[in-house]
Amino acid sequence: SEMCIRDRSSATHTIDGAVWSVAVSGNLLAAGATTGALTLWDLRRGLGSEPIEAIANAHSDAVAGVQIVDGGATVLTSSFDSTVRLWDSPLRRPARDGGGIRAHLRATIAVPPMARCTRIASDDTRIVVGTIQMEMAVGQHIAVIDLL
């Protein structure tokens, strides 16, 4: 299925899958989808323009949480694939190959197996991730990961 995103000017952009998580900071809008995709827009261009980054396989399962930190320099994603990923924002880092602005995967952090990441938050020094244990739907956890 596809999800249509509309801004106040009635401009729209369609992405694959249902939008599961969104975050905005300054001029950066990030959307995570049930397909595992991460899509980023520069709001100065408007939603009617093409995204500045569309990563179809950002995760191998649904992107359950998105957070933008460091004043828009870093995008954090959490997923049902039991990982948290840190991305350098394309607004921070222009591509060196002349191919335009690109996001860059900086790190992948695994949580315990079968613990699906549900939500994510950060204060720029640590990441807090909520998880749920999928075997028999028991065992919710909160993981704290230091960024420094």
Side-chain angles (χ1 to χ4, degrees):
S1 67
E2 294 182 337
M3 177 62 72
C4 183
I5 298 176
R6 182 178 305 271
D7 69 11
R8 289 188 306 184
S9 65
S10 297
T12 61
H13 184 78
T14 303
I15 63 174
D16 289 332
V19 173
W20 196 262
S21 54
V22 294
V24 65
S25 178
N27 292 316
L28 185 63
L29 169 66
T34 54
T35 59
L38 173 64
T39 306
L40 305 172
W41 288 269
D42 181 342
L43 293 177
R44 294 172 294 195
R45 298 180 182 185
L47 287 175
S49 65
E50 288 298 310
I52 57 173
E53 189 72 59
I55 306 167
N57 58 349
H59 286 274
S60 61
D61 206 336
V63 178
V66 176
Q67 183 79 26
I68 301 170
V69 297
D70 295 335
T74 304
V75 178
L76 308 173
T77 56
S78 62
S79 172
F80 282 0
D81 68 6
S82 301
T83 64
V84 172
R85 294 201 167 150
L86 286 73
W87 306 84
D88 284 330
S89 165
L91 294 184
R92 170 187 190 173
R93 163 182 195 284
R96 299 175 197 273
D97 63 5
I101 299 170
R102 306 300 295 176
H104 171 72
L105 177 62
R106 187 181 337 154
T108 298
I109 302 163
V111 297
M114 296 303 295
R116 292 188 173 192
C117 299
T118 55
R119 294 293 179 253
I120 190 168
S122 177
D123 66 358
D124 291 346
T125 62
R126 67 187 65 87
I127 304 168
V128 179
V129 183
T131 67
I132 184 168
Q133 199 74 21
M134 293 313 292
E135 272 183 21
M136 297 186 280
V138 296
Q140 297 80 20
H141 304 280
I142 295 176
V144 178
I145 303 159
D146 288 324
L147 289 174
L148 301 176

